[in-house]
Amino acid sequence: MPYKLARQIDHEVNMYHGQNPLQTALHVQFKAKSIWIPPQLNRIKLNVGITFINAITPIGIGFILRDHMGKFLGAGTTVEHAGSSEEGECSGLLAAARWASQQHLKNIVLETDNKGAAG
């Protein structure tokens, strides 16, 4: 299921930019540490996080957008269902990518703390 969600994320980015996902301005990173590292000067960073308890309980998805100075630019939340934390994180990345697309944002670094979802 995470693979399917990753393909949906690529599709959303592809639809917005009309390009191959590898050529778009959206980049997904894995960050294991809890220290926020700013993006490069010409980029903005969208951090994604979820809460996962079990496959029955809905997950909470949250994301926050900041510039290279750490200035708050926007945020969002939603609720989904997922069978695993990795699937939930992929759903969070998809929700954040869709939100960014609706906001017409470019030069985004999409960041997660789930290595499997960033893979």
Side-chain angles (χ1 to χ4, degrees):
M1 189 62 144
Y3 177 73
K4 183 178 177 182
L5 287 170
R7 285 185 36 215
Q8 287 178 309
I9 293 167
D10 286 343
H11 176 73
E12 283 295 317
V13 172
N14 206 14
M15 292 295 292
Y16 179 71
H17 294 286
Q19 298 177 8
N20 180 311
L22 297 176
Q23 298 171 337
T24 63
L26 179 69
H27 303 275
V28 178
Q29 291 182 340
F30 166 69
K31 183 186 74 131
K33 297 180 183 177
S34 62
I35 298 171
W36 186 79
I37 300 170
Q40 295 175 354
L41 183 60
N42 62 342
R43 296 182 187 241
I44 53 180
K45 186 178 277 191
L46 189 57
N47 290 86
V48 179
I50 66 149
T51 59
F52 179 84
I53 298 170
N54 57 45
I56 299 168
T57 306
I59 62 168
I61 297 171
F63 46 90
I64 184 168
L65 181 68
R66 293 178 279 195
D67 68 8
H68 69 282
M69 298 293 292
K71 180 182 174 188
F72 172 81
L73 301 175
T77 61
T78 190
V79 176
E80 297 281 340
H81 284 88
S84 68
S85 61
E86 187 173 278
E87 180 183 344
E89 196 72 29
C90 287
S91 292
L93 290 167
L94 178 59
R98 284 182 174 156
W99 178 82
S101 178
Q102 292 168 353
Q103 304 300 313
H104 305 289
L105 301 173
K106 296 184 180 188
N107 295 323
I108 298 170
V109 175
L110 189 58
E111 188 171 84
T112 177
D113 60 359
N114 186 299
K115 189 174 185 176

